[in-house]
Amino acid sequence: MYSVADVAKIFDVNGKTVKDWSYHFSEYLSEGANPAKGKQRFYSIEDIRIFAYVLLYWDENPDFENIKYGLNSEDYYEIEPINKLITELSPIFQEPTEEITNIGSNVIFAGMASLDGRLSIANAFKESGDILFETVKEQGNLHDFTSPILYQYRHAIELYLKSILIKPEKIHDLLKLYDKFETLIKTEFQTEVPSWLKEMILGFNKIDPGGDILRYGEEIATDEILIDLRQLKLKMSWFAKSVNNIYYKLEKNR
């Protein structure tokens, strides 16, 4: 939130001008811009956007109707200098307000909007790997993004394994997690882990056993390997579907 002095400094005007803007364009501003008598004025980032537009047409004899016409059409969202100003002023992490919660790319994170644990995050990492792969494949430069794509999938695998283990260890070792996963599948479902899944997980364990190599770009302790990212995406979809089914079956029985 911004005080009158803050707004005056941003736009290099005096406090009286800010108060004039607050009065003449009150219908476009937050409640804090025109509070009850005796209370201090405070402005939101969206109020700053309104003022930035007003300033473009402010002179000794401003045409209020023309300015309001522009505000009604929300032209200020299309003006690059205003967007640049708002980006510079806006903190990445901030307290949500009713005004800005559902605007553009804003999302609510943590608190009451927390994700539903490891399985939800695993699904998100898997989907982000899919999106990155498909996007980069269309651009024709898969090689430049191989590590980020593989990291998304590797982290999804780690979270998938942890999501169905009871009190999993705080480790990144895929081999240890897989061994516990394999035991759980045999015990709870009296079946074997499919060979394609075991091969995929152990393959990731070979190139990045601790979860640091793909993330930090460290040297992989193996010879050159060929990776079919299309097949990897498909197998990750199979794995994701299986783990989600396993998770809800186990939850029902626990």
Side-chain angles (χ1 to χ4, degrees):
M1 305 300 286
Y2 299 87
S3 66
V4 171
D6 293 330
V7 176
K9 184 176 180 180
I10 290 171
F11 295 110
D12 193 22
V13 297
N14 58 45
K16 181 181 182 304
T17 298
V18 175
K19 292 178 181 178
D20 286 343
W21 291 347
S22 302
Y23 171 76
H24 288 294
F25 305 102
S26 59
E27 65 264 42
Y28 303 98
L29 303 172
S30 65
E31 291 183 6
N34 290 283
K37 188 175 180 179
K39 291 189 176 181
Q40 188 174 354
R41 297 176 191 265
F42 281 105
Y43 302 92
S44 70
I45 192 68
E46 286 303 305
D47 293 337
I48 301 298
R49 186 186 294 276
I50 297 296
F51 288 156
Y53 183 83
V54 169
L55 182 62
L56 292 176
Y57 301 96
W58 192 256
D59 53 32
E60 291 184 3
N61 297 295
D63 185 339
F64 293 108
E65 292 305 314
N66 182 56
I67 296 174
K68 289 184 178 182
Y69 177 83
L71 291 174
N72 288 332
S73 63
E74 298 189 344
D75 287 345
Y76 44 84
Y77 283 107
E78 307 299 327
I79 300 175
E80 189 55 34
I82 294 180
N83 290 334
K84 184 174 182 292
L85 172 67
I86 297 304
T87 298
E88 290 175 350
L89 292 175
S90 299
I92 297 300
F93 303 100
Q94 55 185 301
E95 288 188 20
T97 64
E98 187 175 342
E99 291 179 302
I100 64 173
T101 295
N102 297 313
I103 293 178
S105 58
N106 293 336
V107 296
I108 298 295
F109 185 75
M112 294 297 291
S114 295
L115 295 174
D116 298 327
R118 292 189 181 91
L119 183 61
S120 293
I121 302 175
N123 287 329
F125 269 98
K126 181 264 178 190
E127 290 295 327
S128 64
D130 292 348
I131 293 170
L132 182 57
F133 165 67
E134 292 295 344
T135 301
V136 175
K137 182 182 68 172
E138 291 182 6
Q139 297 173 353
N141 56 338
L142 278 174
H143 181 271
D144 294 338
F145 291 86
T146 300
S147 287
I149 292 170
L150 292 178
Y151 176 74
Q152 300 293 323
Y153 285 142
R154 189 216 176 277
H155 195 56
I157 289 172
E158 180 181 326
L159 291 171
Y160 277 135
L161 294 175
K162 288 180 175 179
S163 70
I164 60 175
L165 297 175
I166 299 176
K167 295 183 179 180
E169 297 179 69
K170 293 183 178 180
I171 59 174
H172 304 291
D173 190 320
L174 289 183
L175 184 57
K176 289 183 179 180
L177 292 170
Y178 172 76
D179 287 342
K180 293 178 181 295
F181 169 77
E182 187 176 49
T183 299
L184 181 145
I185 296 301
K186 290 179 179 179
T187 302
E188 295 288 340
F189 300 98
Q190 295 76 50
T191 190
E192 298 289 332
V193 174
S195 58
W196 63 264
L197 177 53
K198 181 175 182 179
E199 181 275 330
M200 181 176 71
I201 295 176
L202 296 186
F204 269 104
N205 183 72
K206 183 177 181 180
I207 66 172
D208 191 355
D212 294 326
I213 292 175
L214 295 171
R215 181 166 43 166
Y216 297 117
E218 298 177 3
E219 185 176 352
I220 298 176
T222 183
D223 295 330
E224 287 186 341
I225 51 176
L226 177 67
I227 304 171
D228 188 329
L229 292 174
R230 182 189 63 80
Q231 285 192 8
L232 173 58
K233 175 176 177 286
L234 179 59
K235 289 180 178 179
M236 283 299 300
S237 294
W238 294 349
F239 184 40
K241 184 177 180 179
S242 297
V243 171
N244 277 269
N245 288 336
I246 291 169
Y247 177 88
Y248 290 111
K249 286 180 180 178
L250 290 174
E251 284 293 296
K252 187 180 295 186
N253 296 330
R254 285 174 179 170

